[in-house]
Amino acid sequence: LCVTLCAEDLKFPPGFRFGAASAAYQVEGAWNINDKGENIWDRFVHTKPEYITGAATGDVACDSYHLWERDIEIAKELGLHFYRFSIGWSRLLPTGFANYVSEDGKEYYNKLIDGLWAEGIEPVVTLYHWDLPQSLQDLGGWTNPLIVDWFGDYARIAYSLYADRVKLWLTINEPLTFCDANYNIGTLAPGIISPDHGAYLCNKYTLLAHAKGYRIYDEEFRPKYHGEVSLANHLTWFEPWTEDDEELAELAIQNCAGRYSHPIFSKEGGWPPSIEKLMTENSKKKGYLKSNFPAFTKEEIDFIKGTYDFYAMNHYTSRIIRKAKEGEELRPWPVGDAPDLDAVMGGLPDWEQTSSYWFFVFPPGIRRQLVWLKKNYGDMKFLIMENGYSGVEELNDQKRINFYESYLKELLLAIKEDGVNLTHYAAWTMLDNFEWMDGYSSKFGLYQVNFTDPNRTRTPRASAFYYKNIIKSHSLDVEKPTVDEVH
Ligand code: GBH
């Protein structure tokens, strides 16, 4: 065990906090209960079942709408310091707009928040984890500039209901993922393909909506409640294939981390200059008369800049990247290559392939990404808001245990060797759940869920006991359990 780090080094800093993360559509079910409104995932799974493995839906999912008490019990079994969940926009605001608040939705999240606190577990809330009310999608969703106000109104209502008890807020989860995977290849709801326009309008308006949500908290709620707000970005780390590809790898990092971070976290604000230049060149190549990449006004740059209290990163995987050869055919981003960058990317043969096609295990990526963020945007609080492993092993999930050990080791190195001020770590995820287009075929849970059992019975995997040991000892210097030992 003691190769890069020895016993004392395997300890986490005293205030470091461990948790687990989830998202409303992936766990709640109860899609049409009482007055809940329809959201884009309800519509997507019901009208385009061919997009989802096994034509699965989140209609019931883990049934956490009914089984929230068991979820809290599990969070307690694990010893979590915090539990991250998201509010279903259309569960709270059935019309999508702020004209009407659902009593049922309001009470559901009240019970969850109070139930967590009753066990001493801090609720961490995401306002938007991909489940836009269908009514807003019908008006253009994240490509309509009015989304900035619609999101602001929703955020204000959520803060006014829960900010007395919720101190850590994430406005939007992984805008890169839902903008790109939807508008480039149509694999996430609402499944609209518009790579040259939709993806970039979505990029711009998610940033503005985040900023609006941040500023509303800052002005109207922070003085009274003293909480903190940011967004959660999904970052894939890129390694150059050869020395010749170093500049390209940096551009790929800008195209992933930069497009959703530079406007908020850099001193100058606005798009990363290298990306603006690339997009202008690409627009010309495609025959547009002016850039199809939406510019920011001076006011918008100032409005977005600085709207953070910390950096929240979701991280899973890395890619190695090289320039495409003459005439080489590229698979479209975000599934395969990077046509925008005229580049080929993938995993190396010795990077373990998980059960998700996009996910190779490369532990050093998480540390290198944090160091890159610190170098580019400065020394601030960093939070890992998602990290986890998708596997096929059922209860005795040794591969998931090895994954957590190897990534957490890299985080300890980031803290101790690179001086990264990392304060939180959220495992994705507590329960097997509806894994978007993979349906129930990709399993990320510390707890297994039996989806054919009407009671959705939850059973701890070996990794649950491992994570529990880590939290309890506040250290990686713990035994790796097998399920035979613990059951
Ligand atoms: C997160 O997505 C989500 O927040 C969460 O809801 C989800 O369940 C979890 O991770 C596990 O998937 O650009 O080649 O990587 C992050 C993972 C990122 C996976 C974008 C799909 C597209 C292909 N997603 N990715 S690629």
Tab-separated table of all heavy atoms in Angstrom, residues 30-67:
chain	number	residue	atom	x	y	z
A	30	ALA	N	-41.925	8.307	-9.562
A	30	ALA	CA	-43.127	9.122	-9.309
A	30	ALA	C	-43.231	10.261	-10.319
A	30	ALA	O	-43.474	11.412	-9.954
A	30	ALA	CB	-43.123	9.654	-7.873
A	31	TRP	N	-43.076	9.898	-11.588
A	31	TRP	CA	-42.920	10.927	-12.624
A	31	TRP	C	-44.190	11.749	-12.831
A	31	TRP	O	-44.115	12.898	-13.270
A	31	TRP	CB	-42.487	10.285	-13.949
A	31	TRP	CG	-43.590	9.582	-14.680
A	31	TRP	CD1	-44.072	8.343	-14.419
A	31	TRP	CD2	-44.350	10.097	-15.766
A	31	TRP	NE1	-45.090	8.046	-15.287
A	31	TRP	CE2	-45.280	9.102	-16.123
A	31	TRP	CE3	-44.335	11.299	-16.490
A	31	TRP	CZ2	-46.197	9.280	-17.164
A	31	TRP	CZ3	-45.243	11.463	-17.521
A	31	TRP	CH2	-46.170	10.472	-17.853
A	32	ASN	N	-45.358	11.124	-12.521
A	32	ASN	CA	-46.603	11.870	-12.768
A	32	ASN	C	-47.481	11.938	-11.523
A	32	ASN	O	-48.690	12.054	-11.616
A	32	ASN	CB	-47.369	11.243	-13.935
A	32	ASN	CG	-47.778	9.801	-13.631
A	32	ASN	OD1	-47.368	9.252	-12.622
A	32	ASN	ND2	-48.563	9.213	-14.504
A	33	ILE	N	-46.835	11.868	-10.375
A	33	ILE	CA	-47.639	11.852	-9.147
A	33	ILE	C	-48.214	13.245	-8.860
A	33	ILE	O	-47.582	14.257	-9.173
A	33	ILE	CB	-46.771	11.339	-7.963
A	33	ILE	CG1	-47.671	10.687	-6.917
A	33	ILE	CG2	-45.945	12.444	-7.336
A	33	ILE	CD1	-47.011	9.544	-6.193
A	34	ASN	N	-49.402	13.253	-8.304
A	34	ASN	CA	-50.055	14.504	-7.931
A	34	ASN	C	-49.955	15.535	-9.058
A	34	ASN	O	-50.264	15.235	-10.183
A	34	ASN	CB	-49.499	15.029	-6.606
A	34	ASN	CG	-49.798	14.033	-5.478
A	34	ASN	OD1	-50.879	13.454	-5.458
A	34	ASN	ND2	-48.861	13.825	-4.594
A	35	ASP	N	-49.456	16.718	-8.733
A	35	ASP	CA	-49.443	17.780	-9.746
A	35	ASP	C	-48.091	17.958	-10.430
A	35	ASP	O	-47.856	18.965	-11.091
A	35	ASP	CB	-49.893	19.115	-9.123
A	35	ASP	CG	-49.079	19.474	-7.888
A	35	ASP	OD1	-48.196	18.675	-7.486
A	35	ASP	OD2	-49.323	20.540	-7.308
A	36	LYS	N	-47.188	16.981	-10.299
A	36	LYS	CA	-45.873	17.151	-10.940
A	36	LYS	C	-46.042	17.388	-12.448
A	36	LYS	O	-46.833	16.731	-13.114
A	36	LYS	CB	-44.989	15.920	-10.726
A	36	LYS	CG	-43.615	16.087	-11.396
A	36	LYS	CD	-42.719	14.871	-11.246
A	36	LYS	CE	-41.575	14.940	-12.244
A	36	LYS	NZ	-42.022	14.765	-13.648
A	37	GLY	N	-45.276	18.335	-12.985
A	37	GLY	CA	-45.320	18.613	-14.416
A	37	GLY	C	-44.422	17.655	-15.189
A	37	GLY	O	-43.541	17.004	-14.620
A	38	GLU	N	-44.643	17.588	-16.496
A	38	GLU	CA	-43.811	16.736	-17.347
A	38	GLU	C	-42.486	17.446	-17.617
A	38	GLU	O	-42.450	18.656	-17.851
A	38	GLU	CB	-44.541	16.498	-18.686
A	38	GLU	CG	-43.849	15.482	-19.572
A	38	GLU	CD	-44.443	15.430	-20.994
A	38	GLU	OE1	-45.066	16.416	-21.416
A	38	GLU	OE2	-44.264	14.396	-21.661
A	39	ASN	N	-41.392	16.684	-17.566
A	39	ASN	CA	-40.098	17.287	-17.923
A	39	ASN	C	-39.545	16.625	-19.180
A	39	ASN	O	-40.140	15.686	-19.708
A	39	ASN	CB	-39.123	17.249	-16.735
A	39	ASN	CG	-38.703	15.831	-16.348
A	39	ASN	OD1	-38.435	14.991	-17.213
A	39	ASN	ND2	-38.656	15.553	-15.054
A	40	ILE	N	-38.402	17.141	-19.662
A	40	ILE	CA	-37.887	16.657	-20.957
A	40	ILE	C	-37.458	15.199	-20.917
A	40	ILE	O	-37.464	14.527	-21.940
A	40	ILE	CB	-36.737	17.535	-21.508
A	40	ILE	CG1	-35.586	17.654	-20.508
A	40	ILE	CG2	-37.279	18.907	-21.895
A	40	ILE	CD1	-34.359	18.393	-21.059
A	41	TRP	N	-37.102	14.678	-19.740
A	41	TRP	CA	-36.742	13.254	-19.662
A	41	TRP	C	-37.982	12.384	-19.682
A	41	TRP	O	-37.982	11.321	-20.292
A	41	TRP	CB	-35.815	12.975	-18.471
A	41	TRP	CG	-34.418	13.198	-18.933
A	41	TRP	CD1	-33.694	14.348	-18.852
A	41	TRP	CD2	-33.600	12.255	-19.664
A	41	TRP	NE1	-32.474	14.189	-19.470
A	41	TRP	CE2	-32.383	12.913	-19.967
A	41	TRP	CE3	-33.765	10.942	-20.079
A	41	TRP	CZ2	-31.349	12.291	-20.677
A	41	TRP	CZ3	-32.733	10.313	-20.779
A	41	TRP	CH2	-31.541	10.994	-21.071
A	42	ASP	N	-39.057	12.834	-19.027
A	42	ASP	CA	-40.320	12.100	-19.128
A	42	ASP	C	-40.697	11.982	-20.599
A	42	ASP	O	-41.010	10.904	-21.107
A	42	ASP	CB	-41.447	12.858	-18.394
A	42	ASP	CG	-41.191	13.000	-16.900
A	42	ASP	OD1	-40.653	12.058	-16.297
A	42	ASP	OD2	-41.531	14.072	-16.332
A	43	ARG	N	-40.652	13.103	-21.312
A	43	ARG	CA	-41.051	13.115	-22.715
A	43	ARG	C	-40.108	12.249	-23.564
A	43	ARG	O	-40.538	11.478	-24.408
A	43	ARG	CB	-41.054	14.572	-23.221
A	43	ARG	CG	-41.398	14.751	-24.687
A	43	ARG	CD	-42.861	14.432	-25.007
A	43	ARG	NE	-43.801	15.329	-24.347
A	43	ARG	CZ	-44.277	16.469	-24.861
A	43	ARG	NH1	-43.900	16.849	-26.073
A	43	ARG	NH2	-45.132	17.210	-24.186
A	44	PHE	N	-38.810	12.393	-23.317
A	44	PHE	CA	-37.793	11.684	-24.119
A	44	PHE	C	-37.949	10.166	-23.998
A	44	PHE	O	-38.013	9.450	-25.006
A	44	PHE	CB	-36.409	12.129	-23.651
A	44	PHE	CG	-35.255	11.734	-24.535
A	44	PHE	CD1	-35.199	12.110	-25.865
A	44	PHE	CD2	-34.184	11.007	-24.014
A	44	PHE	CE1	-34.117	11.776	-26.673
A	44	PHE	CE2	-33.091	10.668	-24.809
A	44	PHE	CZ	-33.059	11.051	-26.134
A	45	VAL	N	-38.034	9.661	-22.762
A	45	VAL	CA	-38.099	8.196	-22.600
A	45	VAL	C	-39.430	7.642	-23.100
A	45	VAL	O	-39.495	6.494	-23.555
A	45	VAL	CB	-37.871	7.727	-21.136
A	45	VAL	CG1	-36.492	8.143	-20.649
A	45	VAL	CG2	-38.957	8.233	-20.195
A	46	HIS	N	-40.493	8.453	-23.040
A	46	HIS	CA	-41.798	7.950	-23.480
A	46	HIS	C	-41.976	8.019	-24.995
A	46	HIS	O	-42.733	7.252	-25.567
A	46	HIS	CB	-42.935	8.724	-22.781
A	46	HIS	CG	-42.961	8.489	-21.298
A	46	HIS	ND1	-43.360	9.440	-20.377
A	46	HIS	CD2	-42.603	7.402	-20.570
A	46	HIS	CE1	-43.257	8.942	-19.160
A	46	HIS	NE2	-42.800	7.709	-19.248
A	47	THR	N	-41.264	8.950	-25.652
A	47	THR	CA	-41.465	9.086	-27.099
A	47	THR	C	-40.302	8.545	-27.932
A	47	THR	O	-40.460	8.314	-29.127
A	47	THR	CB	-41.700	10.561	-27.494
A	47	THR	OG1	-40.577	11.315	-27.043
A	47	THR	CG2	-42.979	11.104	-26.862
A	48	LYS	N	-39.108	8.397	-27.309
A	48	LYS	CA	-37.966	7.881	-28.065
A	48	LYS	C	-37.312	6.725	-27.326
A	48	LYS	O	-36.110	6.769	-27.010
A	48	LYS	CB	-36.943	8.995	-28.303
A	48	LYS	CG	-37.458	10.106	-29.200
A	48	LYS	CD	-36.364	11.111	-29.503
A	48	LYS	CE	-36.850	12.114	-30.531
A	48	LYS	NZ	-35.966	13.264	-30.680
A	49	PRO	N	-38.087	5.669	-27.032
A	49	PRO	CA	-37.532	4.560	-26.232
A	49	PRO	C	-36.324	3.913	-26.892
A	49	PRO	O	-35.474	3.342	-26.209
A	49	PRO	CB	-38.707	3.576	-26.123
A	49	PRO	CG	-39.655	3.948	-27.213
A	49	PRO	CD	-39.482	5.411	-27.440
A	50	GLU	N	-36.225	4.040	-28.220
A	50	GLU	CA	-35.105	3.391	-28.923
A	50	GLU	C	-33.759	4.037	-28.560
A	50	GLU	O	-32.706	3.477	-28.823
A	50	GLU	CB	-35.348	3.412	-30.442
A	50	GLU	CG	-35.336	4.779	-31.110
A	50	GLU	CD	-36.666	5.566	-30.994
A	50	GLU	OE1	-37.549	5.174	-30.195
A	50	GLU	OE2	-36.795	6.594	-31.695
A	51	TYR	N	-33.788	5.211	-27.969
A	51	TYR	CA	-32.542	5.866	-27.559
A	51	TYR	C	-31.983	5.298	-26.254
A	51	TYR	O	-30.854	5.553	-25.886
A	51	TYR	CB	-32.765	7.371	-27.357
A	51	TYR	CG	-32.714	8.171	-28.631
A	51	TYR	CD1	-33.695	8.043	-29.605
A	51	TYR	CD2	-31.663	9.056	-28.858
A	51	TYR	CE1	-33.642	8.776	-30.776
A	51	TYR	CE2	-31.596	9.796	-30.024
A	51	TYR	CZ	-32.588	9.641	-30.987
A	51	TYR	OH	-32.533	10.361	-32.135
A	52	ILE	N	-32.813	4.555	-25.513
A	52	ILE	CA	-32.412	4.133	-24.172
A	52	ILE	C	-32.257	2.612	-24.134
A	52	ILE	O	-33.160	1.891	-24.566
A	52	ILE	CB	-33.486	4.516	-23.119
A	52	ILE	CG1	-34.100	5.884	-23.410
A	52	ILE	CG2	-32.923	4.400	-21.707
A	52	ILE	CD1	-33.330	7.067	-22.966
A	53	THR	N	-31.141	2.150	-23.578
A	53	THR	CA	-30.920	0.700	-23.471
A	53	THR	C	-32.107	0.035	-22.776
A	53	THR	O	-32.507	0.465	-21.686
A	53	THR	CB	-29.631	0.412	-22.678
A	53	THR	OG1	-28.569	1.115	-23.301
A	53	THR	CG2	-29.321	-1.075	-22.643
A	54	GLY	N	-32.657	-0.983	-23.433
A	54	GLY	CA	-33.782	-1.713	-22.862
A	54	GLY	C	-35.064	-0.897	-22.800
A	54	GLY	O	-35.982	-1.255	-22.064
A	55	ALA	N	-35.127	0.206	-23.546
A	55	ALA	CA	-36.300	1.087	-23.520
A	55	ALA	C	-36.697	1.436	-22.083
A	55	ALA	O	-37.877	1.608	-21.761
A	55	ALA	CB	-37.475	0.453	-24.272
A	56	ALA	N	-35.675	1.548	-21.236
A	56	ALA	CA	-35.936	1.827	-19.812
A	56	ALA	C	-36.440	3.257	-19.623
A	56	ALA	O	-36.223	4.126	-20.478
A	56	ALA	CB	-34.655	1.624	-19.012
A	57	THR	N	-37.121	3.493	-18.506
A	57	THR	CA	-37.572	4.844	-18.162
A	57	THR	C	-37.228	5.128	-16.704
A	57	THR	O	-36.903	4.216	-15.942
A	57	THR	CB	-39.102	4.986	-18.292
A	57	THR	OG1	-39.711	4.317	-17.163
A	57	THR	CG2	-39.628	4.407	-19.598
A	58	GLY	N	-37.348	6.386	-16.332
A	58	GLY	CA	-37.198	6.756	-14.926
A	58	GLY	C	-38.555	6.894	-14.248
A	58	GLY	O	-38.658	7.565	-13.232
A	59	ASP	N	-39.586	6.258	-14.829
A	59	ASP	CA	-40.935	6.385	-14.253
A	59	ASP	C	-40.966	5.986	-12.773
A	59	ASP	O	-41.656	6.606	-11.971
A	59	ASP	CB	-41.932	5.499	-15.020
A	59	ASP	CG	-42.210	6.022	-16.430
A	59	ASP	OD1	-41.666	7.086	-16.790
A	59	ASP	OD2	-42.963	5.358	-17.172
A	60	VAL	N	-40.228	4.925	-12.457
A	60	VAL	CA	-40.162	4.484	-11.053
A	60	VAL	C	-38.732	4.649	-10.506
A	60	VAL	O	-38.532	5.065	-9.372
A	60	VAL	CB	-40.619	3.014	-10.898
A	60	VAL	CG1	-40.592	2.593	-9.435
A	60	VAL	CG2	-42.022	2.828	-11.492
A	61	ALA	N	-37.749	4.331	-11.335
A	61	ALA	CA	-36.325	4.422	-10.955
A	61	ALA	C	-36.092	3.747	-9.596
A	61	ALA	O	-36.534	2.615	-9.388
A	61	ALA	CB	-35.841	5.858	-10.983
A	62	CYS	N	-35.443	4.438	-8.648
A	62	CYS	CA	-35.227	3.844	-7.318
A	62	CYS	C	-36.423	4.080	-6.410
A	62	CYS	O	-36.399	3.718	-5.237
A	62	CYS	CB	-33.994	4.456	-6.664
A	62	CYS	SG	-32.501	4.332	-7.645
A	63	ASP	N	-37.433	4.738	-6.948
A	63	ASP	CA	-38.622	5.104	-6.182
A	63	ASP	C	-38.264	5.910	-4.934
A	63	ASP	O	-38.914	5.792	-3.890
A	63	ASP	CB	-39.436	3.849	-5.802
A	63	ASP	CG	-40.889	4.199	-5.502
A	63	ASP	OD1	-41.352	5.283	-5.913
A	63	ASP	OD2	-41.561	3.398	-4.818
A	64	SER	N	-37.266	6.734	-5.047
A	64	SER	CA	-36.841	7.529	-3.893
A	64	SER	C	-37.899	8.551	-3.475
A	64	SER	O	-37.853	9.067	-2.363
A	64	SER	CB	-35.506	8.237	-4.175
A	64	SER	OG	-34.464	7.276	-4.204
A	65	TYR	N	-38.846	8.811	-4.370
A	65	TYR	CA	-39.953	9.682	-3.968
A	65	TYR	C	-40.675	9.068	-2.769
A	65	TYR	O	-41.048	9.759	-1.834
A	65	TYR	CB	-40.932	9.885	-5.131
A	65	TYR	CG	-42.143	10.705	-4.730
A	65	TYR	CD1	-42.094	12.104	-4.717
A	65	TYR	CD2	-43.324	10.074	-4.320
A	65	TYR	CE1	-43.198	12.839	-4.317
A	65	TYR	CE2	-44.424	10.812	-3.927
A	65	TYR	CZ	-44.355	12.196	-3.931
A	65	TYR	OH	-45.439	12.931	-3.523
A	66	HIS	N	-40.837	7.715	-2.803
A	66	HIS	CA	-41.497	7.050	-1.678
A	66	HIS	C	-40.500	6.528	-0.644
A	66	HIS	O	-40.836	6.428	0.527
A	66	HIS	CB	-42.355	5.874	-2.175
A	66	HIS	CG	-43.513	6.318	-3.020
A	66	HIS	ND1	-43.549	6.131	-4.387
A	66	HIS	CD2	-44.659	6.965	-2.695
A	66	HIS	CE1	-44.677	6.646	-4.868
A	66	HIS	NE2	-45.362	7.160	-3.873
A	67	LEU	N	-39.285	6.182	-1.099
A	67	LEU	CA	-38.345	5.480	-0.215
A	67	LEU	C	-37.253	6.397	0.344
A	67	LEU	O	-36.170	5.936	0.701
A	67	LEU	CB	-37.716	4.302	-0.974
A	67	LEU	CG	-38.722	3.253	-1.486
A	67	LEU	CD1	-38.027	2.185	-2.324
A	67	LEU	CD2	-39.475	2.602	-0.326
